[in-house]
Amino acid sequence: MKKMKGVIAVTLVVSVLFSGNSLIAAKTEKKTGIRTKKVTMNTGQKKSIKLKNKKKKAKYLFQSSKTKIVKVSKKGVMTAQRVGKAKITVKEKLGKKTKKIGTVSVTVKKAAKPVPEQKVTPTPASTPTATPANEKPTVSPQAPTPDPGQTETPQTPTPKPPVNPEIKDTPAKFDSTQSGVKYGKVERTNYYSPITGKNRKVNVILPEGYTEEKEYPVIYLFHGGMGDENDWIDGKVQIMIGNMIASGEAEEMIVVMPNCRCREDDAANPSDGFAPDHVHSFDKFLDDFRDNLMPFIESTYSVATGRDNTAIAGLSMGGRVALNIGFSLPDKVGYIGAFSPAYGIFPYTNNGLTEEGLFTEETFTLPEYYKNSTYLLINNGNQDGMVKEEPQRYHNALEANGVHHTFYTLDGGHDWVVWKNGFYNFARYLF
């Protein structure tokens, strides 16, 4: 009997030791991961996705979100097809279980063409052919962007015809939920800004049925001087755009609502609302928009890029932001909406604040190519006591400079009655 007990005890000890070793092995086993999650390639280039801690019996699956931009083989070899951005999803299949281990964000740029060696040969004297000089931008380089799919020398694309919107009254229950309408999902996320040295909040509305198999145009909506990234959510834009998409009055689009107060303290309702530092933080948002926000949105979501797929609009101070960005980056933005836009585009003194202005009435213009191919809409309330006649002043300068646009007024103050009507008439003609 004693012998049997001894055998059982030894067996239990051995069992515990082996199970303990198994637990230790399970705990120390490293997870499979992706070595490089962000990759930049040139068109025609091939690169392999490298994994760490691969399991011997596992099979690895690779899938591209946009095969026209990047193809990927069964072995994880990526081929850059054309300029753009795509995501490669990597999955691990072990036995009957399949799990996602991560994604690779790929940016494809156009490969530089080698410059052929040229022989210098004497040229007979002849009358030189006159070449028209390119118009020099007043704010930043604004040449038309070539078609990313072109492999030969790009030709200047034919500009879109000018938009002449029919201004309508805001529909009844425009901002109320409707039976049978499915509304998009609101995501609250953030991106890092080296300008402010912190992560910045941004709200994103994805259309109902959003899928990475499709590319969506984007509208960026900017808040007022005392607001933040939640202004347009509080104004029920997710319901408004959902109703417009459902009724066929608007295209499916991604809606992005950032915080335009580009400084470390970007909270709403600041005590220094009319101080120079606060006002100028909205002007600094131009660089944050171009260098940080747009790249984040385009690398995170399935976005159709280019000016024909990019719209910006804002209310009050956000309208000033929209005009500043739109006229500074016309090669990136094809649609500009300014609803009761604030002072500051031109020199002014108001509310105890004096500014030199972002433009003069002469420089508030677009290069010739973009004057008729940019959809620009400005509106204002007839009883607006905040921005007063300043939007009319912007309209007069645009008219004098030959920039095609729409300007209209309606009964209302500095309020959502005017801003919702502006959004409605603007969104109907996007994309």
Side-chain angles (χ1 to χ4, degrees):
M1 189 68 182
K2 289 181 178 179
K3 188 175 181 181
M4 283 294 294
K5 288 181 178 179
V7 171
I8 292 170
V10 171
T11 304
L12 287 171
V13 170
V14 171
S15 176
V16 169
L17 287 171
F18 272 104
S19 62
N21 287 337
S22 298
L23 288 171
I24 292 170
K27 288 181 178 179
T28 57
E29 184 179 15
K30 295 181 179 180
K31 292 183 179 180
T32 305
I34 302 169
R35 292 189 180 276
T36 306
K37 294 186 177 182
K38 290 186 178 181
V39 178
T40 300
M41 304 172 67
N42 292 327
T43 50
Q45 188 178 9
K46 293 180 181 288
K47 282 189 179 181
S48 295
I49 296 175
K50 295 183 180 180
L51 305 178
K52 54 186 178 182
N53 306 320
K54 292 174 66 175
K55 295 180 178 63
K56 289 183 179 180
K57 295 183 180 180
K59 182 179 180 182
Y60 294 94
L61 311 173
F62 305 88
Q63 184 177 9
S64 173
S65 64
K66 301 172 187 176
T67 55
K68 290 183 179 180
I69 294 174
V70 181
K71 289 196 306 184
V72 62
S73 71
K74 293 180 179 180
K75 293 184 177 181
V77 179
M78 302 178 291
T79 303
Q81 302 282 93
R82 56 177 292 179
V83 172
K85 295 185 179 184
K87 291 182 179 179
I88 309 298
T89 301
V90 184
K91 295 181 179 180
E92 181 181 74
K93 185 176 182 182
L94 188 58
K96 294 183 179 181
K97 293 184 178 180
T98 301
K99 66 177 182 179
K100 178 180 174 180
I101 64 172
T103 58
V104 180
S105 297
V106 186
T107 300
V108 180
K109 297 182 177 180
K110 191 170 185 179
K113 291 184 179 181
V115 180
E117 184 180 350
Q118 295 182 348
K119 294 182 179 180
V120 179
T121 55
T123 304
S126 60
T127 304
T129 304
T131 303
N134 291 328
E135 180 176 348
K136 185 179 180 181
T138 58
V139 180
S140 62
Q142 301 160 343
T145 305
D147 182 354
Q150 291 178 332
T151 55
E152 300 300 324
T153 303
Q155 302 295 317
T156 301
T158 303
K160 284 187 173 183
V163 177
N164 296 294
E166 177 189 356
I167 302 303
K168 295 184 177 181
D169 292 336
T170 311
K173 298 183 179 180
F174 171 57
D175 57 357
S176 300
T177 54
Q178 306 294 325
S179 176
V181 176
K182 294 182 178 180
Y183 298 94
K185 176 184 176 184
V186 179
E187 289 193 354
R188 300 182 188 274
T189 184
N190 59 76
Y191 65 98
Y192 181 71
S193 167
I195 297 174
T196 62
K198 58 180 281 187
N199 286 328
R200 310 204 69 225
K201 295 177 182 178
V202 57
N203 291 324
V204 179
I205 301 174
L206 301 177
E208 168 63 22
Y210 170 85
T211 172
E212 290 198 348
E213 299 302 315
K214 178 180 177 180
E215 293 183 340
Y216 300 84
V218 182
I219 179 172
Y220 295 85
L221 293 178
F222 307 139
H223 59 81
M226 303 301 283
D228 61 14
E229 68 280 356
N230 295 313
D231 264 22
W232 281 94
I233 296 293
D234 295 340
K236 300 182 180 179
V237 70
Q238 68 275 31
I239 296 174
M240 294 188 288
I241 194 63
N243 288 337
M244 293 185 71
I245 293 172
S247 66
E249 289 188 286
E251 300 290 333
E252 285 188 320
M253 66 186 79
I254 295 173
V255 182
V256 179
M257 293 150 288
N259 187 318
C260 304
R261 189 178 291 102
C262 192
R263 63 181 187 180
E264 187 177 359
D265 178 11
D266 57 7
N269 298 309
S271 59
D272 61 343
F274 289 100
D277 176 72
H278 176 249
V279 174
H280 296 161
S281 70
F282 284 79
D283 301 334
K284 290 195 293 184
F285 181 68
L286 188 155
D287 293 334
D288 195 43
F289 172 83
R290 179 192 59 221
D291 300 336
N292 305 313
L293 177 60
M294 282 188 76
F296 168 76
I297 294 298
E298 292 176 359
S299 64
T300 305
Y301 302 99
S302 186
V303 170
T305 58
R307 77 186 305 269
D308 289 343
N309 298 301
T310 307
I312 58 175
L315 59 90
S316 192
M317 182 62 85
R320 162 174 161 167
V321 171
L323 292 172
N324 184 29
I325 291 176
F327 277 72
S328 299
L329 306 174
D331 57 323
K332 296 184 180 297
V333 177
Y335 310 83
I336 307 166
F339 317 134
S340 310
Y343 282 84
I345 296 298
F346 302 146
Y348 77 94
T349 296
N350 188 49
N351 285 320
L353 182 64
T354 297
E355 289 190 274
E356 295 180 358
L358 298 167
F359 301 85
T360 65
E361 295 189 14
E362 292 72 31
T363 61
F364 190 49
T365 186
L366 293 170
E368 201 64 40
Y369 178 84
Y370 296 117
K371 282 185 175 179
N372 291 314
S373 60
T374 299
Y375 175 35
L376 172 57
L377 181 144
I378 301 173
N379 80 342
N380 196 30
N382 291 323
Q383 292 78 37
D384 193 321
M386 178 66 72
V387 300
K388 302 175 183 176
E389 300 298 323
E390 205 65 5
Q392 176 77 47
R393 187 180 173 194
Y394 302 159
H395 158 64
N396 293 342
L398 292 170
E399 200 166 56
N401 294 331
V403 178
H404 185 81
H405 68 288
T406 297
F407 172 72
Y408 72 98
T409 64
L410 69 160
D411 284 340
H414 200 69
D415 52 41
W416 280 106
V417 171
V418 174
W419 305 332
K420 288 182 179 181
N421 182 266
F423 176 78
Y424 172 69
N425 283 298
F426 183 65
R428 287 166 52 225
Y429 292 89
L430 296 180
F431 317 124

